[in-house]
Amino acid sequence: MSASLTGEHTQAVLDRYSQGARATQPSLCCPVNYDSALLKLLPQEILDKDYGCGDPSRHVRAGDTVLDLGSGGGKICYMAAQLVGPQGRVIGVDMNDDMLALARKYQAEMAEKLGGDRVRFVKGYIQDLALDLEAQDRWLADHPVRAHGDLAAFEAWRERQRPLIADASVDLVISNCVLNLVDDAHKRQLVREIFRVLKPGGRVAVSDIVSDEPVPAGLKADPTLWSGCISGAFQEQEFLQAFTHAGFLAVAYDQWDAAPWRVVEGIEFRSVILTAVKGAGTPCLD
């Protein structure tokens, strides 16, 4: 994939989800049955402007540190916060300022309802969980890059930064229909980053869209299909293989929708939930 196409996809995703933060976009949603008890505390605006294809929150355990990739308006984060309890915490990562603003808008209200502020939202790329985009934005505002020397200073600054999400710091990584939005050139890095931030024995539960056939280049080049969670989808076997090749164990589909969500040019796109475990560093005898 060319650098220009990668940039087009990123901008298309930013634009589409900024629109979704301002007004509901029904075309971005799959029908999902969430636990109604967990939805009662959530503000209606967050419920109205949530875009997903499954419910990974049922894999959350009490005391977990949960990382939600592409957290959007914060719906799954606030659901998970009820499940982790007072000893747990939830981190939402998103690159979209409008979605982050929506999630943070209700942070104080939700902290009061939960009896503690156990959720935080950070700005970052889900394929580069080391990069703090808000810190980078502040640095660039004070140190504009206009020449080669400025670029060298910027790169040196980045080398000095601590990771946004530290190594082996998370019990569970979840996401809801966002891994498909990452450019193909960065999907392998995305899975490696999930592996990096998980503790030994840490778990994965990601809801996403997969295709039954490889998506042709013509569909991948369509920014509307890409930002609509269609043409960036993993092929169903490649999705499993990506996590297996990264070193995960027990990689499987915990949920598989028999009926496709969309069919485009004869290719079926359906919702799944993939689960996996990071080894604990002990011999696997099974």
Side-chain angles (χ1 to χ4, degrees):
M1 181 178 297
S2 69
S4 60
L5 185 57
T6 298
E8 288 176 6
H9 282 166
T10 301
Q11 191 59 52
V13 172
L14 284 169
D15 291 344
R16 188 79 174 269
Y17 282 83
S18 287
Q19 293 170 11
R22 291 190 288 269
T24 303
Q25 303 286 321
S27 63
L28 291 175
C29 301
C30 287
V32 180
N33 291 320
Y34 294 100
D35 184 341
S36 60
L38 297 176
L39 300 181
K40 290 180 180 178
L41 291 184
L42 274 62
Q44 190 61 45
E45 185 178 13
I46 287 179
L47 297 177
D48 291 342
K49 296 175 180 177
D50 173 68
Y51 309 105
C53 60
D55 181 12
S57 69
R58 61 191 179 86
H59 293 270
V60 176
R61 300 172 185 169
D64 274 346
T65 295
V66 177
L67 177 65
D68 182 12
L69 303 181
S71 50
K75 176 180 174 179
I76 298 294
C77 286
Y78 289 128
M79 292 172 66
Q82 299 172 64
L83 296 168
V84 298
Q87 303 306 313
R89 62 191 182 101
V90 181
I91 307 163
V93 179
D94 208 287
M95 68 175 180
N96 188 292
D97 289 321
D98 293 306
M99 281 294 181
L100 286 167
L102 173 59
R104 290 167 172 168
K105 177 180 177 181
Y106 296 98
Q107 200 164 353
E109 176 185 326
M110 289 303 300
E112 183 175 353
K113 290 179 178 179
L114 293 167
D117 190 3
R118 63 189 75 144
V119 183
R120 69 184 177 102
F121 297 97
V122 297
K123 185 178 179 181
Y125 296 125
I126 64 173
Q127 68 270 26
D128 185 0
L129 295 168
L131 176 60
D132 185 335
L133 285 180
E134 286 180 317
Q136 177 174 282
D137 290 345
R138 290 192 297 269
W139 196 92
L140 288 172
D142 294 334
H143 307 85
V145 176
R146 301 190 181 95
H148 176 72
D150 300 332
L151 181 60
F154 170 60
E155 291 173 346
W157 172 83
R158 286 188 57 172
E159 289 293 324
R160 296 193 299 269
Q161 300 312 295
R162 297 179 60 183
L164 178 65
I165 308 296
D167 295 1
S169 61
V170 174
D171 296 297
L172 174 67
V173 171
I174 60 175
S175 70
N176 196 357
C177 209
V178 295
L179 271 58
N180 65 80
L181 298 174
V182 173
D183 289 295
D184 289 347
H186 299 143
K187 280 187 167 73
R188 184 176 297 180
Q189 177 187 354
L190 162 68
V191 180
R192 289 199 305 264
E193 278 290 88
I194 294 173
F195 191 89
R196 177 183 69 80
V197 302
L198 277 170
K199 298 175 182 177
R203 296 118 52 215
V204 174
V206 293
S207 173
D208 222 285
I209 300 296
V210 297
S211 62
D212 66 336
E213 303 175 33
V215 180
L219 294 184
K220 286 184 178 291
D222 185 326
T224 300
L225 287 177
W226 191 285
S227 63
C229 302
I230 295 294
S231 56
F234 282 90
Q235 195 276 338
E236 57 197 37
Q237 294 302 318
E238 291 175 350
F239 198 26
L240 297 170
Q241 291 166 2
F243 281 80
T244 300
H245 292 164
F248 284 99
L249 307 175
V251 181
Y253 285 129
D254 176 71
Q255 179 177 311
W256 174 277
D257 281 4
W261 171 49
R262 295 274 301 275
V263 179
V264 181
E265 296 187 6
I267 302 173
E268 295 183 353
F269 296 87
R270 59 174 35 82
S271 173
V272 301
I273 293 182
L274 179 147
T275 56
V277 177
K278 180 177 178 177
T282 57
C284 181
L285 303 179
D286 293 337

